[in-house]
């Protein structure tokens, strides 16, 4: 039965000489003895992964490996890459890479947790730092207050050690208080001025913004050609402003350099002498250039003679014209002086008694003005005298009261001393009444004189106006 089967009826053979299924055709026994299955491999070598067993039994072929997953080369199918160094994993399959990925994920997770803990710690330290900073500010304010109190206490101890009087301490206190009040007022004034300036600046900025908007509106209403021209001019202006800024910076740097060089020169006598020599050299060079230019501009002697003669003639003509103008002006001045003198004579003739009355009124007005100007000074003097007398009276009354108290304590007192004290008291009372009556009289006299002065002034002005009108009429008639 076995001899009746033909080899052509078997499945196709691969390039390795074996079927794709890896087993012989059904009904055919594998040859025994020295015969071998044609596998395309040299004799004595086992197929990779076969472990020396028969084909189709156990080994790698029994595992679920897809042919499509295995890479194909020019020499046929190739197996998975295996490790070659040490006791490592020989096949790097999916489970190996999954384990490696899990280990990396766990490392990343631990690192993230570590970083998160560090962030929380930093946040806690930052919040603690902010609280400590606020506390430090409050403590600094308290330290300043305590330092001020300590300075006050030290000053008080110094005053006590130096046996300073209480009045001196109170005077220092009042002086410092007045100084603080003045500085507080000045600070308030500065603050109000600053607010006013800020308000003014805001209003100016608003006006500038309005002007910018108006300018933008005008630019939008312009023709395209004018807009292009405006933009060109604007860019040119910006460039010029930038150049101006750079030049200003250069000027500032040069000024600073100049100041530094001047400072260096001021400290060195040799440099000062060198500067003087340079200035002298510059003057000589400029004088030389001027002389060279004059020499070049000069012509022949005949031309120079003609030029000088012409210049002299022009100067003589100008001098003659100026002398004529001067004589004309002198004649006019003489004429005007004669007219003024004639007018003065006519005025003196026409004034007569009116001029005398005007002089009297003028003199009286001057006296009243002097009285009004010196009234405040005299009034202040009298008020000071009155205040001094009142202070003296008060002091004397206090003295009298103390003496009376002493007299009450004394068992016996003479009538003569009592009479003297009574006379003294009466004298002081009369002096006080006299000073009060003097002040009242001065006030009433001031009011009366003020009214009289106003009346006289109005009357004098009216008389002066009448005199001027009469003189104007007389001059018109003449």
């Amino acid at each position: 039965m076995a001899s009746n089967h033909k080899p052509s009826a078997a499945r196709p053979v691969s390039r390795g000489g074996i079927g794709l299924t890896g087993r012989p055709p059904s009904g055919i026994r594998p040859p025994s003895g020295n015969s071998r299955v044609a596998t395309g491999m040299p004799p004595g070598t086992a197929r990779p992964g076969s472990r020396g067993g028969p084909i189709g039994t156990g080994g790698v072929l029994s595992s679920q490996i897809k042919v499509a997953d295995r890479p194909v080369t020019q020499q046929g199918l190739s197996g998975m890459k295996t490790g070659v160094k040490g006791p490592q994993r020989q096949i790097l399959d999916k489970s190996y890479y999954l384990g490696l990925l899990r280990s990396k994920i766990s490392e990343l997770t631990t690192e993230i947790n570590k970083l998160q803990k560090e962030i929380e710690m930093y946040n806690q330290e930052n919040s603690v730092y902010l609280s400590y900073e606020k506390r430090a500010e409050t403590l600094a304010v308290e330290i300043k207050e305590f330092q001020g109190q300590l300075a006050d206490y030290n000053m008080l101890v110094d005053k006590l050690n130096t046996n300073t009087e209480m009045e001196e301490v109170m005077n220092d206190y009042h002086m410092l208080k007045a100084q603080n009040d003045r500085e507080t007022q000045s600070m308030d004034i500065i603050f109000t001025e600053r607010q006013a300036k800020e308000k003014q600046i805001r209003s100016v900025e608003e006006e500038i913004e309005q002007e910018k908007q108006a300018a933008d509106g005008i630019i939008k209403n312009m023709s395209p050609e004018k807009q292009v021209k405006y933009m060109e001019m604007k860019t040119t202006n910006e460039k010029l402003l930038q150049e101006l800024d750079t030049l200003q910076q250069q000027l500032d740097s040069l000024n600073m350099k100049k100041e530094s060089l001047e400072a260096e020169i001021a400290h060195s006598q040799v440099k000062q002498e060198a500067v003087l020599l340079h200035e002298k050299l510059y003057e000589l060079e400029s004088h030389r250039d001027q002389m060279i230019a004059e020499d070049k501009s000069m012509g022949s002697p005949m031309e120079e003679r003609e030029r000088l003669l012409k210049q002299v003639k022009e100067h003589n003509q100008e001098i003659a014209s100026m002398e004529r103008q001067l004589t004309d002006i002198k004649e006019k001045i003489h004429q005007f002086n004669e007219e003024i003198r004639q007018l003065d004579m006519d005025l003196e003739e026409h004034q007569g008694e009116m001029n005398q009355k005007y002089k009297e009124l003028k003199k009286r007005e001057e006296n009243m003005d002097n009285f009004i100007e010196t009234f405040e000074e005299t009034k202040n003097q009298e008020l000071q005298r009155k205040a001094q007398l009142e202070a003296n009276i008060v002091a004397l009354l206090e003295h009298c009261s103390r003496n009376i108290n002493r007299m009450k304590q004394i068992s016996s007192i003479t009538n003569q001393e009592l009479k003297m004290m009574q006379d003294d008291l009466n004298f002081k009372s009369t002096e006080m009444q006299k000073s009060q009556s003097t002040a009242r009289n001065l006030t009433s006299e001031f009011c009366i004189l003020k009214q009289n002065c106003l009346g006289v002034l109005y009357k004098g002005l009216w008389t002066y106006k009448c005199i001027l009108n009469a003189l104007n009429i007389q001059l018109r008639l003449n």
Side-chain angles (χ1 to χ4, degrees), residues 236-247:
T236 306
N237 186 21
E238 290 177 355
K239 289 180 181 178
L240 291 173
L241 288 173
Q242 291 177 0
E243 291 178 359
L244 180 64
D245 292 334
T246 54
L247 292 172

Side-chain angles (χ1 to χ4, degrees), residues 376-392:
E376 293 294 332
E377 186 176 356
T378 54
K379 181 182 176 183
N380 292 327
Q381 290 177 0
E382 291 295 330
L383 289 174
Q384 289 178 0
R385 182 170 172 272
K386 178 186 173 185
Q388 187 175 2
L389 290 172
E390 288 178 354
N392 292 331

Side-chain angles (χ1 to χ4, degrees), residues 380-398 424-425 427-439 442:
N380 292 327
Q381 290 177 0
E382 291 295 330
L383 289 174
Q384 289 178 0
R385 182 170 172 272
K386 178 186 173 185
Q388 187 175 2
L389 290 172
E390 288 178 354
N392 292 331
I393 289 165
V394 170
L396 291 170
L397 289 172
E398 290 178 354
D424 193 6
L425 181 61
F427 176 72
K428 298 299 181 182
S429 300
T430 53
E431 288 292 328
M432 185 179 70
Q433 292 175 2
K434 286 179 182 179
S435 62
Q436 290 177 356
S437 63
T438 303
L442 285 171

Side-chain angles (χ1 to χ4, degrees), residues 139-362:
L139 291 174
V141 174
E142 290 179 359
I143 287 167
K144 287 183 180 178
E145 293 178 356
F146 290 145
Q147 285 177 352
Q149 293 179 5
L150 180 62
D152 295 335
Y153 291 145
N154 288 330
M155 185 176 68
L156 183 60
V157 170
D158 293 335
K159 296 289 184 183
L160 291 173
N161 291 329
T162 55
N163 295 323
T164 307
E165 296 293 334
M166 190 65 187
E167 293 179 356
E168 187 177 353
V169 175
M170 292 303 294
N171 290 329
D172 293 338
Y173 165 74
H174 290 303
M175 184 175 68
L176 291 172
K177 187 177 180 182
Q179 186 178 358
N180 289 331
D181 293 336
R182 287 195 299 271
E183 289 179 355
T184 304
Q185 290 177 0
S186 64
M187 287 175 67
D188 293 336
I189 292 166
I190 292 167
F191 182 72
T192 52
E193 288 179 355
R194 179 183 175 186
Q195 286 182 344
K197 292 292 183 183
E198 288 178 353
K199 188 176 180 182
Q200 188 176 1
I201 289 166
R202 285 195 295 270
S203 63
V204 171
E205 288 177 352
E206 290 176 357
E207 291 178 359
I208 291 168
E209 191 66 27
Q210 291 176 2
E211 293 294 332
K212 284 183 180 178
Q213 292 177 0
D216 294 334
I218 292 167
I219 292 164
K220 288 179 182 178
N221 294 326
M222 286 181 181
S223 61
E225 296 176 355
K226 290 183 178 180
Q227 288 183 1
V228 171
K229 189 175 180 181
Y230 173 77
M231 294 304 294
E232 290 177 355
M233 293 174 71
K234 188 176 180 181
T235 53
T236 306
N237 186 21
E238 290 177 355
K239 289 180 181 178
L240 291 173
L241 288 173
Q242 291 177 0
E243 291 178 359
L244 180 64
D245 292 334
T246 54
L247 292 172
Q248 187 66 36
Q249 291 176 1
Q250 291 177 3
L251 180 63
D252 294 335
S253 64
L254 290 172
N255 287 327
M256 292 174 67
K257 189 175 181 181
K258 178 185 173 185
E259 291 177 356
S260 63
L261 291 172
E262 286 179 353
E264 290 179 0
I265 290 167
H267 292 294
S268 177
Q269 186 69 25
V270 177
K271 290 182 180 179
Q272 291 179 3
E273 292 177 357
V275 169
L276 292 173
L277 291 173
H278 278 291
E279 290 178 354
K280 191 174 180 181
L281 180 62
Y282 177 74
E283 290 176 358
L284 292 171
E285 288 178 352
S286 62
H287 187 60
R288 181 198 64 188
D289 296 335
Q290 186 178 1
M291 291 177 70
I292 291 168
E294 288 178 356
D295 190 12
K296 288 180 180 179
S297 64
M298 288 175 66
S300 62
M302 295 300 293
E303 291 177 354
E304 289 294 324
R305 183 173 176 277
E306 290 177 358
R307 187 175 64 80
L308 290 171
L309 288 172
K310 187 178 180 181
Q311 190 174 3
V312 168
K313 288 179 181 179
E314 290 176 356
H315 289 170
N316 289 329
Q317 289 177 1
E318 289 178 358
I319 290 165
S321 64
M322 291 174 71
E323 285 179 352
R324 285 194 299 271
Q325 291 176 3
L326 184 62
T327 53
D328 294 336
I329 291 167
K330 285 181 178 179
E331 289 177 357
K332 288 181 181 179
I333 289 168
H334 181 69
Q335 186 179 357
F336 287 145
N337 287 328
E338 288 293 332
E339 290 178 0
I340 290 166
R341 189 172 61 80
Q342 188 66 32
L343 288 171
D344 289 335
M345 290 173 65
D346 294 337
L347 187 63
E348 288 178 357
E349 289 177 358
H350 287 90
Q351 281 180 355
E353 294 180 358
M354 295 175 68
N355 192 10
Q356 188 67 27
K357 289 182 179 179
Y358 173 72
K359 288 181 180 179
E360 291 178 357
L361 290 171
K362 188 73 174 175

Side-chain angles (χ1 to χ4, degrees), residues 91-141:
I91 299 173
L92 304 177
D93 56 355
K94 181 179 180 181
S95 61
Y96 170 75
Y97 288 108
L98 287 173
L100 184 63
L101 185 61
R102 288 193 186 95
S103 64
K104 296 295 181 183
I105 290 169
S106 64
E107 290 177 1
L108 289 171
T109 306
T110 54
E111 190 67 24
I112 289 166
N113 293 327
K114 183 179 178 182
L115 292 172
Q116 192 69 29
K117 289 180 181 178
E118 289 180 358
I119 290 166
E120 291 176 357
M121 183 175 68
Y122 289 150
N123 291 327
Q124 290 178 0
E125 289 180 354
N126 192 10
S127 62
V128 171
Y129 173 75
L130 292 174
S131 64
Y132 283 162
E133 189 175 3
K134 291 180 180 178
R135 188 177 178 186
E137 290 176 356
T138 55
L139 291 174
V141 174

